[in-house]
Amino acid sequence: MTDTRAVATEFHRLLAERDLPGVTALFADDVAWDIPGATEIVPWIGKRHTASEAGACFAELEEYLDRQLFEIERVLVDGPHAVTIGHLRSVVRATGKVIETPFAIEMTIENGRITRYVMFEDSWRVAKAVLP
């Protein structure tokens, strides 16, 4: 599968099914990964550089959060680039606080693998929910 839209759709399907090995397999061995924010407060965000590090992030999300909603509103594709726009709601297990935020995920897909992944969300709201 090398079509940008098909890979992005497969990524979201596998993520919804919590198929972490499948999600990890979609990432290139060398990936430019980032979820910007307060990395000193939020343990699952920040930069990652390999497929296994990217996959580990999703495992960490399962450990730290109870996902209540991950709604995709649209996926925009331009050549090798895909942008997913949506809304999420999760509960931080340690604090019981809710994270509710719109999000955008920017991906670059080359030869059927994700080579760039950047997620934009309300990082202030995420950090506030993690703090006791």
Side-chain angles (χ1 to χ4, degrees):
M1 168 180 20
T2 59
D3 175 75
T4 301
R5 184 174 298 278
V7 173
T9 300
E10 180 70 356
F11 169 79
H12 293 301
R13 183 187 72 76
L14 293 168
L15 193 58
E17 293 176 359
R18 292 176 163 84
D19 179 348
L20 300 184
V23 168
T24 301
L26 287 178
F27 284 93
D29 294 336
D30 183 26
V31 62
W33 164 288
D34 195 12
I35 302 176
T39 56
E40 68 281 2
I41 298 171
V42 184
W44 62 84
I45 65 171
K47 295 183 184 294
R48 313 236 175 173
H49 305 285
T50 66
S52 62
E53 289 174 349
C57 177
F58 293 107
E60 289 171 20
L61 287 173
E62 294 291 321
E63 178 184 333
Y64 289 107
L65 303 175
D66 285 320
R67 182 172 43 172
Q68 295 184 334
L69 175 72
F70 190 85
E71 183 176 75
I72 296 169
E73 297 170 11
R74 69 185 66 85
V75 177
L76 309 168
V77 175
D78 181 18
H81 308 287
V83 175
T84 301
I85 298 170
H87 184 87
L88 66 82
R89 183 176 54 246
S90 298
V91 176
V92 178
R93 288 192 174 127
T95 66
K97 294 179 185 177
V98 174
I99 299 168
E100 188 159 359
T101 180
F103 69 84
I105 298 170
E106 180 186 351
M107 290 188 276
T108 301
I109 298 165
E110 301 174 70
N111 300 317
R113 310 269 308 276
I114 301 167
T115 59
R116 182 171 190 272
Y117 177 100
V118 181
M119 181 174 183
F120 303 96
E121 60 189 351
D122 185 340
S123 60
W124 178 83
R125 188 171 289 169
V126 172
K128 186 176 174 187
V130 171
L131 290 172

mmCIF file of all heavy atoms in Angstrom, residues 72-105:
data_model
loop_
_atom_site.group_PDB
_atom_site.id
_atom_site.type_symbol
_atom_site.label_atom_id
_atom_site.label_comp_id
_atom_site.label_asym_id
_atom_site.label_seq_id
_atom_site.Cartn_x
_atom_site.Cartn_y
_atom_site.Cartn_z
ATOM 1 N N ILE A 72 -12.453 11.618 13.880
ATOM 2 C CA ILE A 72 -11.820 12.201 12.699
ATOM 3 C C ILE A 72 -12.892 12.907 11.886
ATOM 4 O O ILE A 72 -13.894 12.299 11.493
ATOM 5 C CB ILE A 72 -11.126 11.103 11.867
ATOM 6 C CG1 ILE A 72 -10.002 10.486 12.702
ATOM 7 C CG2 ILE A 72 -10.607 11.672 10.555
ATOM 8 C CD1 ILE A 72 -9.422 9.239 12.115
ATOM 9 N N GLU A 73 -12.666 14.190 11.646
ATOM 10 C CA GLU A 73 -13.626 14.982 10.879
ATOM 11 C C GLU A 73 -13.317 14.959 9.388
ATOM 12 O O GLU A 73 -14.222 14.893 8.573
ATOM 13 C CB GLU A 73 -13.648 16.413 11.400
ATOM 14 C CG GLU A 73 -14.132 16.484 12.848
ATOM 15 C CD GLU A 73 -13.943 17.837 13.488
ATOM 16 O OE1 GLU A 73 -13.621 18.826 12.786
ATOM 17 O OE2 GLU A 73 -14.102 17.909 14.723
ATOM 18 N N ARG A 74 -12.006 15.010 9.070
ATOM 19 C CA ARG A 74 -11.632 14.951 7.652
ATOM 20 C C ARG A 74 -10.152 14.644 7.521
ATOM 21 O O ARG A 74 -9.367 14.903 8.436
ATOM 22 C CB ARG A 74 -11.998 16.228 6.917
ATOM 23 C CG ARG A 74 -11.193 17.456 7.294
ATOM 24 C CD ARG A 74 -11.682 18.726 6.625
ATOM 25 N NE ARG A 74 -12.992 19.137 7.044
ATOM 26 C CZ ARG A 74 -13.256 19.868 8.127
ATOM 27 N NH1 ARG A 74 -12.288 20.278 8.889
ATOM 28 N NH2 ARG A 74 -14.475 20.197 8.438
ATOM 29 N N VAL A 75 -9.809 14.075 6.388
ATOM 30 C CA VAL A 75 -8.414 13.821 6.033
ATOM 31 C C VAL A 75 -8.167 14.524 4.707
ATOM 32 O O VAL A 75 -8.862 14.266 3.718
ATOM 33 C CB VAL A 75 -8.116 12.308 5.904
ATOM 34 C CG1 VAL A 75 -6.672 12.083 5.474
ATOM 35 C CG2 VAL A 75 -8.399 11.583 7.220
ATOM 36 N N LEU A 76 -7.199 15.415 4.703
ATOM 37 C CA LEU A 76 -6.827 16.171 3.508
ATOM 38 C C LEU A 76 -5.519 15.600 2.976
ATOM 39 O O LEU A 76 -4.584 15.384 3.744
ATOM 40 C CB LEU A 76 -6.660 17.651 3.853
ATOM 41 C CG LEU A 76 -7.830 18.278 4.620
ATOM 42 C CD1 LEU A 76 -7.449 19.635 5.161
ATOM 43 C CD2 LEU A 76 -9.049 18.366 3.729
ATOM 44 N N VAL A 77 -5.466 15.370 1.671
ATOM 45 C CA VAL A 77 -4.284 14.758 1.068
ATOM 46 C C VAL A 77 -3.772 15.635 -0.061
ATOM 47 O O VAL A 77 -4.548 16.111 -0.897
ATOM 48 C CB VAL A 77 -4.612 13.338 0.540
ATOM 49 C CG1 VAL A 77 -3.431 12.745 -0.204
ATOM 50 C CG2 VAL A 77 -5.033 12.436 1.688
ATOM 51 N N ASP A 78 -2.449 15.810 -0.086
ATOM 52 C CA ASP A 78 -1.778 16.543 -1.152
ATOM 53 C C ASP A 78 -0.473 15.816 -1.439
ATOM 54 O O ASP A 78 0.512 15.977 -0.695
ATOM 55 C CB ASP A 78 -1.522 17.987 -0.725
ATOM 56 C CG ASP A 78 -0.846 18.812 -1.813
ATOM 57 O OD1 ASP A 78 -0.876 18.414 -2.994
ATOM 58 O OD2 ASP A 78 -0.274 19.867 -1.470
ATOM 59 N N GLY A 79 -0.465 14.970 -2.461
ATOM 60 C CA GLY A 79 0.728 14.189 -2.782
ATOM 61 C C GLY A 79 1.068 13.267 -1.628
ATOM 62 O O GLY A 79 0.219 12.515 -1.156
ATOM 63 N N PRO A 80 2.302 13.352 -1.117
ATOM 64 C CA PRO A 80 2.701 12.469 -0.020
ATOM 65 C C PRO A 80 2.276 12.972 1.361
ATOM 66 O O PRO A 80 2.588 12.350 2.365
ATOM 67 C CB PRO A 80 4.230 12.457 -0.131
ATOM 68 C CG PRO A 80 4.561 13.803 -0.666
ATOM 69 C CD PRO A 80 3.430 14.136 -1.626
ATOM 70 N N HIS A 81 1.553 14.082 1.401
ATOM 71 C CA HIS A 81 1.190 14.705 2.671
ATOM 72 C C HIS A 81 -0.289 14.470 2.994
ATOM 73 O O HIS A 81 -1.141 14.600 2.127
ATOM 74 C CB HIS A 81 1.466 16.206 2.635
ATOM 75 C CG HIS A 81 2.860 16.525 2.206
ATOM 76 N ND1 HIS A 81 3.949 16.311 3.018
ATOM 77 C CD2 HIS A 81 3.336 17.002 1.040
ATOM 78 C CE1 HIS A 81 5.049 16.659 2.367
ATOM 79 N NE2 HIS A 81 4.710 17.072 1.163
ATOM 80 N N ALA A 82 -0.551 14.142 4.250
ATOM 81 C CA ALA A 82 -1.925 13.976 4.728
ATOM 82 C C ALA A 82 -2.077 14.754 6.028
ATOM 83 O O ALA A 82 -1.183 14.734 6.878
ATOM 84 C CB ALA A 82 -2.242 12.507 4.967
ATOM 85 N N VAL A 83 -3.199 15.431 6.165
ATOM 86 C CA VAL A 83 -3.519 16.130 7.397
ATOM 87 C C VAL A 83 -4.879 15.625 7.873
ATOM 88 O O VAL A 83 -5.856 15.668 7.134
ATOM 89 C CB VAL A 83 -3.564 17.663 7.205
ATOM 90 C CG1 VAL A 83 -4.017 18.356 8.487
ATOM 91 C CG2 VAL A 83 -2.213 18.190 6.752
ATOM 92 N N THR A 84 -4.887 15.136 9.087
ATOM 93 C CA THR A 84 -6.116 14.662 9.705
ATOM 94 C C THR A 84 -6.567 15.693 10.721
ATOM 95 O O THR A 84 -5.768 16.143 11.542
ATOM 96 C CB THR A 84 -5.876 13.318 10.427
ATOM 97 O OG1 THR A 84 -5.400 12.363 9.468
ATOM 98 C CG2 THR A 84 -7.142 12.806 11.074
ATOM 99 N N ILE A 85 -7.836 16.059 10.628
ATOM 100 C CA ILE A 85 -8.402 17.037 11.544
ATOM 101 C C ILE A 85 -9.495 16.338 12.339
ATOM 102 O O ILE A 85 -10.303 15.595 11.772
ATOM 103 C CB ILE A 85 -8.962 18.243 10.767
ATOM 104 C CG1 ILE A 85 -7.820 18.928 10.008
ATOM 105 C CG2 ILE A 85 -9.677 19.209 11.714
ATOM 106 C CD1 ILE A 85 -8.271 19.969 9.021
ATOM 107 N N GLY A 86 -9.471 16.560 13.654
ATOM 108 C CA GLY A 86 -10.466 15.893 14.473
ATOM 109 C C GLY A 86 -10.586 16.480 15.856
ATOM 110 O O GLY A 86 -10.146 17.603 16.125
ATOM 111 N N HIS A 87 -11.172 15.674 16.725
ATOM 112 C CA HIS A 87 -11.460 16.078 18.100
ATOM 113 C C HIS A 87 -11.218 14.872 18.987
ATOM 114 O O HIS A 87 -11.571 13.754 18.613
ATOM 115 C CB HIS A 87 -12.927 16.532 18.192
ATOM 116 C CG HIS A 87 -13.312 17.047 19.526
ATOM 117 N ND1 HIS A 87 -13.139 18.357 19.885
ATOM 118 C CD2 HIS A 87 -13.854 16.433 20.599
ATOM 119 C CE1 HIS A 87 -13.577 18.530 21.123
ATOM 120 N NE2 HIS A 87 -14.012 17.372 21.578
ATOM 121 N N LEU A 88 -10.607 15.090 20.152
ATOM 122 C CA LEU A 88 -10.378 13.976 21.068
ATOM 123 C C LEU A 88 -10.781 14.342 22.481
ATOM 124 O O LEU A 88 -10.835 15.512 22.852
ATOM 125 C CB LEU A 88 -8.916 13.511 21.034
ATOM 126 C CG LEU A 88 -7.815 14.455 21.538
ATOM 127 C CD1 LEU A 88 -7.678 14.427 23.044
ATOM 128 C CD2 LEU A 88 -6.502 14.065 20.905
ATOM 129 N N ARG A 89 -11.092 13.289 23.224
ATOM 130 C CA ARG A 89 -11.362 13.435 24.654
ATOM 131 C C ARG A 89 -10.786 12.199 25.350
ATOM 132 O O ARG A 89 -11.079 11.065 24.971
ATOM 133 C CB ARG A 89 -12.847 13.547 24.942
ATOM 134 C CG ARG A 89 -13.148 13.775 26.420
ATOM 135 C CD ARG A 89 -14.631 13.989 26.720
ATOM 136 N NE ARG A 89 -15.464 12.919 26.205
ATOM 137 C CZ ARG A 89 -16.377 13.043 25.229
ATOM 138 N NH1 ARG A 89 -16.559 14.216 24.637
ATOM 139 N NH2 ARG A 89 -17.094 12.024 24.837
ATOM 140 N N SER A 90 -9.955 12.439 26.345
ATOM 141 C CA SER A 90 -9.342 11.370 27.124
ATOM 142 C C SER A 90 -9.337 11.773 28.588
ATOM 143 O O SER A 90 -9.373 12.960 28.912
ATOM 144 C CB SER A 90 -7.890 11.127 26.681
ATOM 145 O OG SER A 90 -7.834 10.711 25.340
ATOM 146 N N VAL A 91 -9.241 10.775 29.463
ATOM 147 C CA VAL A 91 -9.112 11.013 30.894
ATOM 148 C C VAL A 91 -7.713 10.576 31.308
ATOM 149 O O VAL A 91 -7.282 9.461 30.985
ATOM 150 C CB VAL A 91 -10.171 10.228 31.700
ATOM 151 C CG1 VAL A 91 -9.957 10.420 33.200
ATOM 152 C CG2 VAL A 91 -11.575 10.658 31.293
ATOM 153 N N VAL A 92 -7.000 11.446 32.008
ATOM 154 C CA VAL A 92 -5.676 11.111 32.523
ATOM 155 C C VAL A 92 -5.891 10.228 33.746
ATOM 156 O O VAL A 92 -6.530 10.634 34.710
ATOM 157 C CB VAL A 92 -4.877 12.382 32.898
ATOM 158 C CG1 VAL A 92 -3.518 12.011 33.477
ATOM 159 C CG2 VAL A 92 -4.727 13.287 31.686
ATOM 160 N N ARG A 93 -5.388 9.007 33.674
ATOM 161 C CA ARG A 93 -5.625 8.036 34.746
ATOM 162 C C ARG A 93 -5.120 8.525 36.109
ATOM 163 O O ARG A 93 -5.774 8.325 37.128
ATOM 164 C CB ARG A 93 -4.980 6.698 34.395
ATOM 165 C CG ARG A 93 -5.718 5.984 33.310
ATOM 166 C CD ARG A 93 -5.246 4.549 33.168
ATOM 167 N NE ARG A 93 -6.116 3.896 32.205
ATOM 168 C CZ ARG A 93 -5.679 3.252 31.153
ATOM 169 N NH1 ARG A 93 -4.393 3.139 30.915
ATOM 170 N NH2 ARG A 93 -6.536 2.690 30.315
ATOM 171 N N ALA A 94 -3.949 9.149 36.142
ATOM 172 C CA ALA A 94 -3.338 9.548 37.416
ATOM 173 C C ALA A 94 -4.092 10.678 38.122
ATOM 174 O O ALA A 94 -4.060 10.783 39.341
ATOM 175 C CB ALA A 94 -1.883 9.955 37.196
ATOM 176 N N THR A 95 -4.766 11.528 37.337
ATOM 177 C CA THR A 95 -5.421 12.699 37.937
ATOM 178 C C THR A 95 -6.945 12.662 37.829
ATOM 179 O O THR A 95 -7.622 13.408 38.533
ATOM 180 C CB THR A 95 -4.930 14.000 37.272
ATOM 181 O OG1 THR A 95 -5.361 14.016 35.905
ATOM 182 C CG2 THR A 95 -3.423 14.144 37.382
ATOM 183 N N GLY A 96 -7.466 11.865 36.919
ATOM 184 C CA GLY A 96 -8.904 11.848 36.674
ATOM 185 C C GLY A 96 -9.392 13.031 35.869
ATOM 186 O O GLY A 96 -10.588 13.177 35.612
ATOM 187 N N LYS A 97 -8.466 13.897 35.440
ATOM 188 C CA LYS A 97 -8.848 15.089 34.678
ATOM 189 C C LYS A 97 -9.055 14.739 33.203
ATOM 190 O O LYS A 97 -8.412 13.849 32.663
ATOM 191 C CB LYS A 97 -7.785 16.162 34.809
ATOM 192 C CG LYS A 97 -7.644 16.702 36.218
ATOM 193 C CD LYS A 97 -6.554 17.749 36.266
ATOM 194 C CE LYS A 97 -6.285 18.224 37.673
ATOM 195 N NZ LYS A 97 -5.172 19.194 37.694
ATOM 196 N N VAL A 98 -9.926 15.511 32.570
ATOM 197 C CA VAL A 98 -10.285 15.289 31.171
ATOM 198 C C VAL A 98 -9.459 16.190 30.259
ATOM 199 O O VAL A 98 -9.290 17.381 30.538
ATOM 200 C CB VAL A 98 -11.789 15.558 30.948
ATOM 201 C CG1 VAL A 98 -12.154 15.465 29.473
ATOM 202 C CG2 VAL A 98 -12.629 14.601 31.773
ATOM 203 N N ILE A 99 -8.950 15.603 29.190
ATOM 204 C CA ILE A 99 -8.340 16.366 28.105
ATOM 205 C C ILE A 99 -9.360 16.352 26.978
ATOM 206 O O ILE A 99 -9.754 15.277 26.507
ATOM 207 C CB ILE A 99 -7.041 15.705 27.591
ATOM 208 C CG1 ILE A 99 -5.991 15.615 28.686
ATOM 209 C CG2 ILE A 99 -6.513 16.453 26.368
ATOM 210 C CD1 ILE A 99 -4.803 14.723 28.316
ATOM 211 N N GLU A 100 -9.806 17.522 26.575
ATOM 212 C CA GLU A 100 -10.703 17.615 25.428
ATOM 213 C C GLU A 100 -10.157 18.712 24.531
ATOM 214 O O GLU A 100 -9.997 19.848 24.972
ATOM 215 C CB GLU A 100 -12.136 17.908 25.861
ATOM 216 C CG GLU A 100 -13.090 17.810 24.711
ATOM 217 C CD GLU A 100 -14.529 17.585 25.131
ATOM 218 O OE1 GLU A 100 -14.819 17.481 26.334
ATOM 219 O OE2 GLU A 100 -15.371 17.510 24.232
ATOM 220 N N THR A 101 -9.857 18.353 23.285
ATOM 221 C CA THR A 101 -9.198 19.302 22.398
ATOM 222 C C THR A 101 -9.397 18.923 20.932
ATOM 223 O O THR A 101 -9.464 17.741 20.606
ATOM 224 C CB THR A 101 -7.685 19.370 22.720
ATOM 225 O OG1 THR A 101 -7.053 20.304 21.835
ATOM 226 C CG2 THR A 101 -7.004 18.034 22.569
ATOM 227 N N PRO A 102 -9.473 19.928 20.075
ATOM 228 C CA PRO A 102 -9.357 19.616 18.657
ATOM 229 C C PRO A 102 -7.905 19.225 18.379
ATOM 230 O O PRO A 102 -7.007 19.542 19.174
ATOM 231 C CB PRO A 102 -9.718 20.932 17.959
ATOM 232 C CG PRO A 102 -9.550 21.991 18.980
ATOM 233 C CD PRO A 102 -9.662 21.339 20.330
ATOM 234 N N PHE A 103 -7.678 18.533 17.286
ATOM 235 C CA PHE A 103 -6.311 18.167 16.927
ATOM 236 C C PHE A 103 -6.148 18.168 15.418
ATOM 237 O O PHE A 103 -7.123 18.111 14.661
ATOM 238 C CB PHE A 103 -5.929 16.789 17.492
ATOM 239 C CG PHE A 103 -6.652 15.639 16.838
ATOM 240 C CD1 PHE A 103 -6.197 15.071 15.654
ATOM 241 C CD2 PHE A 103 -7.804 15.132 17.407
ATOM 242 C CE1 PHE A 103 -6.867 14.026 15.053
ATOM 243 C CE2 PHE A 103 -8.490 14.088 16.818
ATOM 244 C CZ PHE A 103 -8.025 13.524 15.632
ATOM 245 N N ALA A 104 -4.895 18.238 15.012
ATOM 246 C CA ALA A 104 -4.513 18.035 13.611
ATOM 247 C C ALA A 104 -3.251 17.182 13.625
ATOM 248 O O ALA A 104 -2.354 17.391 14.445
ATOM 249 C CB ALA A 104 -4.248 19.366 12.915
ATOM 250 N N ILE A 105 -3.229 16.191 12.768
ATOM 251 C CA ILE A 105 -2.056 15.341 12.618
ATOM 252 C C ILE A 105 -1.550 15.516 11.193
ATOM 253 O O ILE A 105 -2.287 15.299 10.235
ATOM 254 C CB ILE A 105 -2.386 13.857 12.859
ATOM 255 C CG1 ILE A 105 -2.892 13.649 14.285
ATOM 256 C CG2 ILE A 105 -1.152 12.990 12.590
ATOM 257 C CD1 ILE A 105 -3.465 12.269 14.531
#
